[in-house]
Amino acid sequence: MENQTNILAQRVDCILYYAESALSNEPRAGWIGGNAPEFFDGQSDLIHEGNQKYTFYLSLIHPFKPESMISIFIPEDYEEYLENNIYPNCSIKVIEHPISTESTEAMFTNPGLIKHAISGGELSNDEKSMDQSFLIKVGGNPRLIQNEDYYLTKLKEESFSFLFQVDEEGYPETLLQEDCNYPFGFGSLYIYAKMGTTEVQHPVAGFWQFS
């Protein structure tokens, strides 16, 4: 509880995660690339919207609810989420769900990503993290690429606070298939949530940026 306060309220600390070989035997906090969690098997209607198809991006064990995961899905059409990149119109889907193993079905798999494990999180000082490379940063303050107020306007109005970001600077060279583009243009995706006194609720895609 003290850690959670330092990470999400005082924001002096954060948790950093890294991508590593899927063959690693180290404790894992999730995975990026590969198949979606088994939880989504047979639930294409939950993810796809009409003609807009989505692909799986990553799943992270919820850092403050070990019985839950947060999974992220990206539209197949880059122009769709390029034009809709700020809450409440951000096209990226963020879904909290019961913890689940990776599916054997490839119905949401992104062919441009090679599956990597997400390492167990490491507690870090927030200020120091601003000069470090990471795949995911939970809590502390977001490391923004563009520090413009309009990204946060609606999130602040609805009392959302920064939960974590996924930073493409932290991709290992082995994550992308040859000749495939970075999903966020070598940028970063920012996830926000409602912070209660004891619980983190309703994670959403706040916005994404690239330089």
Side-chain angles (χ1 to χ4, degrees):
M1 192 64 185
E2 181 184 354
N3 276 350
Q4 185 169 333
T5 299
N6 288 343
I7 292 166
L8 296 180
Q10 297 182 12
R11 297 191 178 271
V12 293
D13 292 331
C14 61
I15 308 172
L16 303 181
Y17 300 81
Y18 302 89
E20 55 192 25
S21 166
L23 301 176
S24 167
N25 292 320
E26 296 295 317
R28 299 173 184 176
W31 67 96
I32 181 170
N35 298 339
E38 195 174 28
F39 174 81
F40 295 100
D41 285 359
Q43 297 208 64
S44 59
D45 290 348
L46 174 67
I47 305 301
H48 300 319
E49 294 185 2
N51 294 327
Q52 182 55 63
K53 304 296 184 186
Y54 278 72
T55 60
F56 171 69
Y57 183 49
L58 65 77
S59 285
L60 178 70
I61 295 174
H62 198 303
F64 307 108
K65 297 182 191 174
E67 73 285 357
S68 298
M69 299 186 89
I70 297 173
S71 291
I72 299 174
F73 293 81
I74 303 173
E76 284 186 350
D77 181 0
Y78 177 74
E79 294 299 325
E80 161 64 29
Y81 65 96
L82 179 63
E83 293 174 7
N84 298 283
N85 68 327
I86 302 175
Y87 180 86
N89 300 314
C90 189
S91 299
I92 310 301
K93 291 197 173 184
V94 178
I95 301 173
E96 183 178 336
H97 59 89
I99 202 160
S100 175
T101 56
E102 184 182 5
S103 176
T104 57
E105 298 184 14
M107 62 186 301
F108 298 113
T109 305
N110 186 330
L113 299 177
I114 299 169
K115 181 189 171 186
H116 281 62
I118 297 174
S119 67
E122 301 174 6
L123 194 65
S124 176
N125 174 271
D126 181 60
E127 190 174 346
K128 288 182 180 177
S129 76
M130 294 298 180
D131 297 320
Q132 294 177 254
S133 176
F134 52 77
L135 176 69
I136 296 172
K137 174 184 178 178
V138 172
N141 295 287
R143 184 169 68 190
L144 298 170
I145 298 171
Q146 300 169 35
N147 197 3
E148 301 289 347
D149 290 343
Y150 61 82
Y151 283 101
L152 299 168
T153 302
K154 199 66 178 177
L155 291 162
K156 285 182 176 178
E157 282 180 11
E158 298 186 16
S159 300
F160 281 97
S161 298
F162 173 67
L163 178 58
F164 70 87
Q165 73 183 90
V166 185
D167 197 310
E168 293 190 315
E169 185 181 335
Y171 282 9
E173 292 180 359
T174 49
L175 183 63
L176 292 176
Q177 294 280 7
E178 192 174 352
D179 298 328
C180 284
N181 295 323
Y182 285 82
F184 297 105
F186 199 65
S188 197
L189 170 67
Y190 301 85
I191 308 302
Y192 280 66
K194 297 286 182 78
M195 307 296 178
T197 51
T198 60
E199 197 171 13
V200 178
Q201 297 177 311
H202 195 43
V204 298
F207 53 91
W208 66 274
Q209 303 176 335
F210 63 98
S211 55

